[in-house]
Structure formats: structure tokens, C-alpha cells
Amino acid sequence: MFELSQEHEDFRKVVRDFAEKEVAPHIAQWDRDEHFPTDLVPKMGELGLFGLVVPEEYGGSAGEGQGDFTSLCVAIEELGRVDQSIGITLSAGVGLGINPILTYGSDEQKARYLPDLVAGRALAGFGLTEPEAGSDAGATRTRATREGDDWVINGAKAFITNSGTDITSVVTVTARTGTNDDGSARISAVMVPSGTPGFTVEPAYHKLGWHVSDTHGLTFEDCRVPASNLLGTEGDGFKQFLKTLDDGRIAISALAVGCAQACLELATGYASTRVAFGRPIGVNQGISFQVADLAVMVEAARLLTYKAAWLKDELHEGRRTVREVKHAAAIAKLHSTEAAVTATRIATQVFGGNGFMEEYPVARFYRDAKILEIGEGTSEVQRMLIARGLGLPQA
């Protein structure tokens, strides 16, 4: 059976204390200013958050292998409970920045990048999505052409997290490097260090939510990097990013649980203290039943998320299959993210007019939640994956 250990719960308290002391007092102002708090990242590194799945030889705490993915989800949930932008900074920093290098990188690549990434001295991004290639990631148009001992990259990426901070050290991008025998694109992953000539980080997006998260479009114009910057084997890029997304979906589920949990706590508190017609509004079943439904959604989302995280850890130990993890990840991601969006609607409704005011955190959570149903695979893609996992006929 899967359940969080006492060590996990003790770790939860540590991360919650960190979030309430280091994030909560500042987050409203950071959100208004759309300010990315670079100074917070090394503090997260000092707490060990970026190293939970990284071996000790690179500064992590995992010992041998891939470490404790469940603990990473606990950390993401607790940061996301205070602010979603900070939660996604950790989620993307590990899942999209560190994980591809750790999983597919050479010893030299790992030694060069991982110590700084684990310590929070640097961040890394993963350039998959393009202006014309979102859910259909295999339709990538970015190309990397081999010229002597270099790859020359041309193309563009969109919505890339942690790609333009002052401490971003590298972005791994997927690109066409040829054509397979069946006529499909041969997609590979190439690491592009920040500051490489021809690599342009576009101005930050002005987003509906996640105002504190760093998100940019990227442009590559005859961007030349050494051939040794290839991540893994040429042509394995498609397989690499599919696995990366499986892990990321569980992490996003944890972020969604944090959002829904925050809404439950805020709605419960407000319904208990807000007085209308001479009594707390929580006395009214129109309010209390909605909050009760919210509690059910949070509990179900948490169970699905940590079951998927447990399966991921069991897979590392050889006791589960990739198929099981993929299926559980899609189920958790679908339910948790849609539950989070519903949770923000309920909480905002409970707050009434105050819920529409930016001075109340529920307004920020309302803005932040929608992207959860889109990033790391849309809800529609998750339903497709679940149906495929059930063995239903596919078009």
C-alpha cells in the first residue's frame, strides 16, 4: 500500500514553514510587480529542494539512483499552497531542467551543470513547445544541422519556464536533426548554454496568471553549439520528452493539490467568520455543501497524485512498469488540475465580492489555476492517454 511516511510528513512541515516565512509575506507584491525572486532560488537550494531526486555526487540527497520523487511532490504541493508560481519554479527546475540532464546526460554534462542546478545557483529550461507545435510536439519545426563539430540551430520555442532568469545556465531544446526511415522527423535534444550567440530570449510574457514565474519565447538564428551538447543519442528526443512529460504530469498534479488545498483552507476560514444576516455564512447549506464538495475533491486529488508518485518510486525499484506510471500520471493530472480550477471557482464564490479583489489570495489562485489544465499536456490529451491505456480503439 502507498502512504506518506512520517519522514514525508516531517518534511512537509519543513517546506510549509519555509513557504510561509520566505514566500507568503512577499508574494502579493511580487505578483503585482511580475517579479521573479532570483534570491529565493538559492534558499530553496539550501533547503535541498532541487536535489531530492539527484545523487549525492552532484550535491543531491538521493544516494544512488533517482531518489525520492514523492518528497519532491510534497515540496511542490506545499510551495503551491502558498503560491503557484513558486511551486512551478521548483517543478520545472527539477522536472524540466535537471531531470533530462540527469537521465540522459553524459558524465561530463552532468558534472558541468548539475551541481549549480542542485544548489540553486542556476536554473535550466526545457524548450519543447513551439508557436505551431503544442500538443502535437512531434510537429516541431526547429532544426539542428550538423556542420563539422557543431550543431547549428534555427527555430523558435514558446512558453518556456525558467529560460530567461539572471541565473539560467542552459536550455535543452528539441529539434529536427534529420528524417527517419518511415519519413517521420528525427527529433533530438540539444543543450544550448545561456548567452550563446544566435540564442535570443524574448521579452517575458504578460500572462493571465503565474505572474512570478519566469516564462519566455526563445529564438535561434544560426545558433552554433558543440556537437558534444547533444543530450543522449541522436533521434531519441521524442522518446526523451515523452518520459519527461510523464514525470512532469505527476508534479503538476502535486501543484494542483496545493492550489486546491489553499482554496479549501481559505474558503473554510472565510465561511466561518464572514457574517451575513446575523450569522456566519457557513451555516447556510448553499455555502457549506460547496465547501464539503471541495474537501472531497482535495482528498481525491491528493490520493491520486501520491499514488502516481509512489508508482514512480516503485518503478525505479523495478517493482512497477512504465505503462502503470504513465496511466496513473494521466489520471492524476486530469483529475487534480480540473479539481483545482473548480476549487478556485468555489472559493471565489464563497468570498463573494471580496473574491474579485486582488488583495485576497483567492483572486490570485483563480488566475493561476487555469494553466494547470493546459501545461504538461492538456486535459484533452490526458483523456486520450487514459483511453489508450484502457485499450480502447484509437483513430
Side-chain angles (χ1 to χ4, degrees):
M1 290 294 294
F2 70 95
E3 63 179 345
L4 294 182
S5 66
Q6 186 60 50
E7 289 76 13
H8 287 128
E9 295 299 346
D10 291 343
F11 179 63
R12 179 187 297 279
K13 294 176 183 177
V14 171
V15 181
R16 177 169 294 196
D17 182 69
F18 174 86
E20 292 180 345
K21 289 181 178 178
E22 298 290 343
V23 179
H26 313 290
I27 194 58
Q29 187 65 50
W30 290 344
D31 185 80
R32 282 192 294 270
D33 295 342
E34 298 189 9
H35 167 70
F36 180 79
T38 304
D39 293 345
L40 183 69
V41 178
K43 294 179 182 179
M44 294 164 64
E46 291 174 6
L47 197 62
L49 303 187
F50 290 105
L52 291 167
V53 298
V54 181
E56 294 175 357
E57 64 181 298
Y58 302 114
S61 58
E64 296 181 2
Q66 290 286 312
D68 188 355
F69 187 77
T70 299
S71 288
L72 175 62
C73 289
V74 169
I76 293 168
E77 178 193 340
E78 287 301 320
L79 291 177
R81 172 183 166 272
V82 172
D83 182 67
Q84 292 282 285
S85 292
I86 303 303
I88 193 58
T89 297
L90 174 62
S91 177
V94 176
L96 302 179
I98 289 174
N99 190 43
I101 301 172
L102 176 63
T103 306
Y104 305 110
S106 65
D107 290 342
E108 181 180 355
Q109 290 167 339
K110 293 177 186 178
R112 177 179 177 183
Y113 290 107
L114 289 182
D116 284 345
L117 294 173
V118 169
R121 294 187 293 267
L123 287 168
F126 187 77
L128 172 62
T129 302
E130 297 188 0
E132 302 298 327
S135 295
D136 185 12
T140 182
R141 296 183 179 180
T142 298
R143 294 183 179 275
T145 304
R146 184 68 179 264
E147 293 186 4
D149 293 331
D150 295 331
W151 289 106
V152 179
I153 306 170
N154 285 279
K157 297 294 179 178
F159 316 133
I160 309 305
T161 304
N162 293 341
S163 61
T165 74
D166 291 339
I167 57 174
T168 298
S169 61
V170 65
V171 177
T172 301
V173 300
T174 54
R176 291 173 176 252
T177 55
T179 304
N180 294 317
D181 293 339
D182 62 0
S184 63
R186 180 184 302 147
I187 298 176
S188 305
V190 184
M191 302 173 67
V192 184
S194 297
T196 301
F199 172 23
T200 301
V201 178
E202 302 296 339
Y205 292 105
H206 182 62
K207 307 186 293 281
L208 169 67
W210 283 6
H211 286 174
V212 182
S213 172
D214 178 81
T215 319
H216 298 263
L218 310 176
T219 302
F220 304 90
E221 296 182 5
D222 293 330
C223 177
R224 188 178 294 269
V225 299
S228 59
N229 282 28
L230 182 72
L231 189 66
T233 304
E234 182 181 354
D236 280 355
F238 195 86
K239 178 175 64 178
Q240 291 169 357
F241 72 65
L242 286 179
K243 182 181 182 302
T244 298
L245 290 178
D246 285 340
D247 294 354
R249 285 167 183 148
I250 305 173
I252 289 291
S253 297
L255 185 61
V257 171
C259 177
Q261 177 66 38
C263 289
L264 175 61
E265 294 174 14
L266 291 166
T268 301
Y270 194 81
S272 301
T273 57
R274 172 66 170 172
V275 175
F277 303 102
R279 60 184 187 176
I281 62 173
V283 170
N284 303 304
Q285 290 181 341
I287 297 293
S288 64
F289 282 11
Q290 289 189 75
V291 177
D293 288 342
L294 177 50
V296 174
M297 286 187 287
V298 172
E299 187 71 10
R302 181 173 284 115
L303 287 171
L304 288 172
T305 297
Y306 286 103
K307 176 185 177 182
W310 170 71
L311 287 171
K312 164 67 178 173
D313 284 331
E314 288 284 289
L315 172 65
H316 171 62
E317 298 296 331
R319 293 190 288 263
R320 297 290 170 170
T321 66
V322 172
R323 182 176 179 178
E324 286 179 285
V325 175
K326 184 184 293 289
H327 193 66
I331 290 174
K333 205 274 184 182
L334 175 63
H335 178 81
S336 299
T337 58
E338 294 195 344
V341 170
T342 301
T344 63
R345 180 184 56 78
I346 291 174
T348 302
Q349 192 71 18
V350 169
F351 271 70
N354 284 333
F356 200 64
M357 300 297 113
E358 287 290 349
E359 64 190 276
Y360 290 88
V362 290
R364 187 177 75 251
F365 283 113
Y366 190 93
R367 289 188 284 102
D368 286 346
K370 182 57 190 174
I371 189 60
L372 297 170
E373 295 180 319
I374 299 171
E376 302 280 358
T378 63
S379 291
E380 292 77 13
V381 167
Q382 304 317 307
R383 288 183 167 90
M384 178 186 71
L385 293 173
I386 293 166
R388 183 182 298 164
L390 292 173
L392 291 170
Q394 301 294 306

